[in-house]
């Protein structure tokens, strides 16, 4: 699994591919967050009115079948985009959701569990660059991810997103992002322009801050050893499919 | 309003050139930040980022929720200037009495 990459992918995508085609930035962001947004809490476990809710087999639930692993597939992105298009006739949203989901899915093939790219026709595709430790909970997962090649992967996305700074300009937002999506016009009725621009830049802010927070937390506040080797960190209880 | 009925600015519009020679850079920088909306925005984004990182390192739950992240940014970039405007206008009202 990737952490900050999913926050920053939409900006890089917007810079590189969002020129000729009208694609909703918000849809790309939702697509990029989507596969984890509704499932991660059940992977890590959470307490609700005194009840501890957690998947009995977190890895299979998150990435496998039976489970919600199908959300981490290119086919799911395509089906989602098609359904949204049939319901709304909005190409920017349908395309955005599909591409956002695809970016998430491809990014998640980097860990030791990987994702079922062409579900239901394939099994897991995993590059195995960094350890999947989601089953151990949020904190061990963060410690492992930011000690192995995960921090390099996220670091690359931070650099790439910062290099795409022109898409963060207010003028870019007003000229390119707003016209492609009615959401911003609707939102603009209730909040001023400064707040809209902040919302647009929000995922970048969140991603870069999160990267700094977890790196400081893991290696300054705590002392988790760095192990940027393939499949590492090897001190973490990595899962493989 | 002042004693002669002339409107009185509560805060000086600029401090540029108030001090010359040594130590004059700082007031100029402060003035630039106060008068330039882009610089003011940059300072607000920077303050939001630094405060979020510092808080998040010690309370990691803050770094897990995008809702908190977005709300934090909005509070700094939108809430703080709005609060400042409200405070300034109330000070003006008070001094106008």
């Amino acid at each position: 699994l990737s952490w900050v990459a999913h926050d920053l992918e939409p900006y890089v995508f917007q810079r590189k591919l969002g020129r000729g085609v009208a694609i909703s930035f918000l849809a790309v962001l939702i697509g990029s967050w989507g596969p984890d947004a509704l499932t991660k809490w059940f992977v890590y476990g959470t307490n609700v009115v005194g009840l501890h809710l957690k998947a009995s087999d977190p890895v299979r639930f998150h990435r496998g079948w039976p489970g919600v692993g199908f959300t981490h597939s290119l086919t799911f992105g395509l089906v989602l985009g098609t359904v949204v298009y049939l319901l709304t006739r909005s190409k920017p949203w349908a395309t955005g959701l599909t591409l956002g989901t695809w970016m998430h899915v491809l990014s998640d093939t980097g860990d030791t569990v990987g994702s079922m790219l062409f579900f239901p026709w394939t099994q897991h595709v995993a590059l195995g660059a960094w350890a999947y430790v989601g089953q151990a909970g949020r904190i061990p997962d963060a410690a492992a991810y930011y000690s192995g090649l995960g921090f390099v992967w996220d670091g690359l996305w931070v650099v790439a997103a910062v290099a795409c700074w022109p898409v963060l300009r207010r003028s870019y937002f007003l000229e390119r992002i707003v016209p492609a999506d009615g959401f911003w016009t609707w939102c603009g009725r209730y909040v001023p322009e400064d707040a809209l621009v902040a919302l647009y830049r929000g995922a970048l802010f969140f991603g870069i801050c999160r990267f700094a927070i977890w790196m400081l937390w893991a290696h300054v506040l705590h002392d988790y050893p760095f192990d940027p080797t393939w499949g590492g960190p090897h001190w973490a209880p990595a899962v493989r499919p | 309003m002042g004693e002669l009925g002339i409107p009185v600015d509560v805060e000086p519009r600029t401090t540029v050139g108030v001090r010359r020679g040594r130590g004059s850079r700082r007031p100029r920088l402060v003035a630039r930040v106060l008068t330039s909306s882009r610089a003011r925005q940059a300072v607000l984004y920077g303050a939001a980022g630094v405060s979020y990182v510092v808080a998040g390192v010690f309370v990691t739950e803050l770094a897990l929720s995008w809702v908190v992240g977005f709300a934090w940014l909005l509070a700094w970039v939108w809430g703080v200037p709005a609060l400042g405007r409200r405070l300034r206008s109330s000070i003006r009202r008070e001094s106008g009495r």
Side-chain angles (χ1 to χ4, degrees):
Chain A
L1 65 173
S2 309
W3 284 53
V4 165
H6 301 319
D7 305 327
L8 305 179
E9 285 158 354
Y11 296 96
V12 179
F13 172 81
Q14 186 65 39
R15 172 71 171 158
K16 298 296 173 197
L17 300 169
R19 290 176 185 169
V21 195
I23 297 171
S24 161
F25 173 82
L26 188 64
V28 178
L29 185 62
I30 291 172
S32 185
W33 281 346
D36 281 348
L38 299 173
T39 59
K40 262 301 196 46
W41 63 274
F42 200 52
V43 173
Y44 290 141
T46 189
N47 291 308
V48 180
V49 287
L51 280 174
H52 186 66
L53 303 173
K54 185 176 164 83
S56 56
D57 184 344
V59 181
R60 196 184 67 188
F61 171 77
H62 187 207
R63 295 284 182 79
W65 180 261
V68 292
F70 64 88
T71 58
H72 287 67
S73 69
L74 299 176
T75 33
F76 174 76
L78 194 63
V79 170
L80 180 68
T82 307
V83 169
V84 167
Y85 180 71
L86 291 174
L87 291 175
T88 65
R89 297 284 162 190
S90 169
K91 274 186 190 169
W93 267 81
T95 318
L97 283 170
T98 299
L99 293 174
T101 308
W102 283 0
M103 283 190 284
H104 183 114
V105 171
L106 291 172
S107 178
D108 276 2
T109 57
D111 62 35
T112 51
V113 171
S115 46
M116 300 183 288
L117 285 186
F118 299 100
F119 178 85
W121 297 289
T122 58
Q123 287 305 307
H124 290 258
V125 175
L127 296 175
W130 55 88
Y132 180 106
V133 192
Q135 80 290 349
R138 283 180 202 277
I139 296 298
D141 191 19
Y145 184 76
Y146 285 102
S147 299
L149 281 176
F151 88 85
V152 178
W153 178 241
D154 273 4
L156 286 173
W157 280 101
V158 169
V159 172
V162 171
C164 295
W165 62 270
V167 303
L168 301 172
R169 286 176 169 164
R170 183 181 294 255
S171 56
Y172 186 94
F173 170 71
L174 296 173
E175 289 162 17
R176 302 292 294 276
I177 302 295
V178 174
D181 192 347
F183 166 79
W184 298 104
T185 314
W186 173 81
C187 213
R189 290 184 210 154
Y190 306 101
V191 292
E193 192 180 297
D194 280 350
L196 284 185
V197 176
L199 280 175
Y200 166 61
R201 295 169 178 161
L204 184 105
F205 169 84
F206 181 56
I208 291 178
C209 287
R210 230 151 64 102
F211 181 74
I213 287 170
W214 288 114
M215 288 300 284
L216 289 170
W217 173 86
H219 303 294
V220 177
L221 198 65
H222 297 279
D223 198 20
Y224 292 101
F226 273 113
D227 180 12
T229 54
W230 202 261
H234 294 283
W235 50 259
V239 178
R240 285 170 178 81
Chain B
M1 300 290 267
E3 286 180 13
L4 301 173
I6 299 167
V8 175
D9 277 350
V10 174
E11 57 182 56
R13 295 228 170 120
T14 176
T15 52
V16 176
V18 170
R19 291 168 68 191
R20 291 178 189 281
R22 263 182 85 189
S24 64
R25 277 185 188 166
R26 203 169 159 202
R28 275 186 197 163
L29 186 66
V30 172
R32 197 178 298 168
V33 169
L34 287 173
T35 52
S36 158
S37 68
R38 285 180 75 175
R40 201 166 46 226
Q41 285 275 308
V43 167
L44 288 169
Y45 274 88
V50 170
S51 59
Y52 187 57
V53 168
V54 171
V57 168
F58 294 101
V59 186
T60 51
E61 283 76 14
L62 294 175
L64 292 168
S65 166
W66 65 268
V67 176
V68 175
F70 275 59
W72 196 287
L73 181 63
L74 276 178
W76 273 95
V77 175
W78 182 29
V80 168
L83 193 67
R85 278 194 299 274
R86 184 166 284 191
L87 277 174
R88 274 201 300 276
S89 69
S90 72
I91 289 170
R92 280 204 190 102
R93 270 201 306 274
E94 287 291 321
S95 63
R97 279 180 189 168

